[in-house]
């Protein structure tokens, strides 16, 4: 009796998994784009810096599917934004990708290695640091070209009082939002059978309540700081 063709059995299952993954990534990309549009309604900081909350959605995609997926979503959303809404052209697109990738890929890489809530907090915190450091460098290099400003006289004096707090608050907001909504979003995807069970580990209720309170306190803190930067408070 001939043995069954194992590859023939595995191929349909793998195809279904690939389709589910692509569907989830496409959905997260669309949601990230909508969140980006909604973020444009927020007041700007210092007249030209825009807080953007789409990194929250992209980071969730990175937590579920890995840093490469986060990078792909980041690039797709930035390119679509450049052609549909943004007036900053290729330079703005590049800066957008650098900011999002530095935050989301750093966070999702650490979370992939340390797949716990502590790993998520550590990854997101390192993502905020990476975002801030990367954007300080690129604001120094690119902003004078993009804004037609003198680097030494205008941009350098803005690095610490303007760009540093802006990127820290932007990263902190996305960090806190990711911690708050990650589990509900992934649970919804799991119920829709778009995400495997392993992405929603079960933990004790007490720890979940404490973690939620921590996340909400962090979110409230960065919301207040954002309002201060926007001149509302």
């Amino acid at each position: 009796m001939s043995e069954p063709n194992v590859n023939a059995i595995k191929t349909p299952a793998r195809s279904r998994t690939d389709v589910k993954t692509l569907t989830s990534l496409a959905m997260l990309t669309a949601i990230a784009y909508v969140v980006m549009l909604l973020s444009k309604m927020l007041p700007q900081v210092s007249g030209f810096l825009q807080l953007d909350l789409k990194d929250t959605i992209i980071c969730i995609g990175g937590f579920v599917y890995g840093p490469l997926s986060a990078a792909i979503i980041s690039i797709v959303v930035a390119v679509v934004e450049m052609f549909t809404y943004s007036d900053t052209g290729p330079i703005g697109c590049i800066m957008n990708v650098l900011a999002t990738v530095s935050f989301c890929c750093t966070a999702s890489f650490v979370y992939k290695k340390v797949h716990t809530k502590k790993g998520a907090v550590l990854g997101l915190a390192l993502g905020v640091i990476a975002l801030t450091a990367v954007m300080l460098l690129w604001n120094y290099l690119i902003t004078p070209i993009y804004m037609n400003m003198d680097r030494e006289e205008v941009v350098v004096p803005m690095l610490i009082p303007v760009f540093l707090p802006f990127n820290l608050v932007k990263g902190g907001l996305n960090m806190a939002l990711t911690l708050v909504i990650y589990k509900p979003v992934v649970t919804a995807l799991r119920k829709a059978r778009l995400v495997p069970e392993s992405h929603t580990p079960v933990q004790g209720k007490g720890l979940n309540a404490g973690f939620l309170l921590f996340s909400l306190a962090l979110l409230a803190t960065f919301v207040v700081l954002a309002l201060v930067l926007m001149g509302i408070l």
Side-chain angles (χ1 to χ4, degrees):
M1 183 180 294
S2 61
E3 295 182 359
N5 190 335
V6 177
N7 291 331
I9 296 174
K10 289 183 177 181
T11 300
R14 182 174 180 178
S15 297
R16 287 194 296 271
T17 301
D18 290 342
V19 170
K20 287 182 179 180
T21 299
L22 289 174
T23 301
S24 298
L25 292 176
M27 181 176 61
L28 290 169
T29 301
I31 294 173
Y33 180 79
V34 171
V35 172
M36 177 275 297
L37 292 177
L38 294 175
S39 297
K40 299 294 185 183
M41 300 179 183
L42 297 173
Q44 292 184 331
V45 176
S46 298
F48 66 100
L49 296 173
Q50 182 70 60
L51 289 170
D52 194 346
L53 303 179
K54 72 175 184 297
D55 290 3
T56 298
I57 306 301
I58 297 173
C59 204
I60 290 174
F63 275 16
V64 175
Y65 297 108
L68 179 59
S69 296
I72 292 172
I73 298 175
S74 302
I75 294 170
V76 172
V77 173
V79 171
V80 174
E81 178 185 353
M82 179 180 67
F83 283 110
T84 59
Y85 187 89
S86 176
D87 57 358
T88 58
I91 293 180
C93 179
I94 292 171
M95 295 287 281
N96 199 346
V97 171
L98 288 170
T100 303
V101 166
S102 61
F103 174 71
C104 296
C105 290
T106 300
S108 55
F109 176 81
V110 174
Y111 183 64
K112 184 178 180 180
K113 298 296 182 181
V114 188
H115 200 70
T116 63
K117 289 183 177 180
K118 290 182 179 180
V121 174
L122 176 61
L124 289 164
L126 291 175
V128 174
I129 294 172
L131 164 67
T132 304
V134 167
M135 294 316 294
L136 280 178
L137 171 63
W138 286 97
N139 281 132
Y140 174 79
L141 295 174
I142 299 296
T143 299
I145 301 172
Y146 167 63
M147 304 272 312
N148 194 25
M149 295 177 174
D150 183 88
R151 177 176 286 113
E152 299 301 326
E153 293 186 5
V154 180
V155 175
V156 172
M158 294 174 64
L159 290 177
I160 303 302
V162 177
F163 292 117
L164 177 64
F166 170 79
N167 286 296
L168 283 174
V169 170
K170 176 185 174 182
L173 274 174
N174 282 288
M175 172 184 178
L177 281 171
T178 301
L179 293 175
V180 170
I181 72 172
Y182 171 73
K183 186 174 181 179
V185 169
V186 177
T187 299
L189 291 174
R190 177 170 56 84
K191 289 181 178 179
R193 297 183 178 180
L194 294 174
V195 171
E197 293 280 344
S198 60
H199 286 296
T200 52
V202 178
Q203 299 189 15
K205 293 182 179 179
L207 179 60
N208 285 337
F211 187 79
L212 179 60
L213 289 175
F214 164 77
S215 303
L216 290 173
L218 191 66
L219 177 60
T221 300
F222 280 105
V223 166
V224 171
L225 291 174
L227 293 174
V228 172
L229 285 181
M230 292 185 290
I232 297 175
L233 291 181

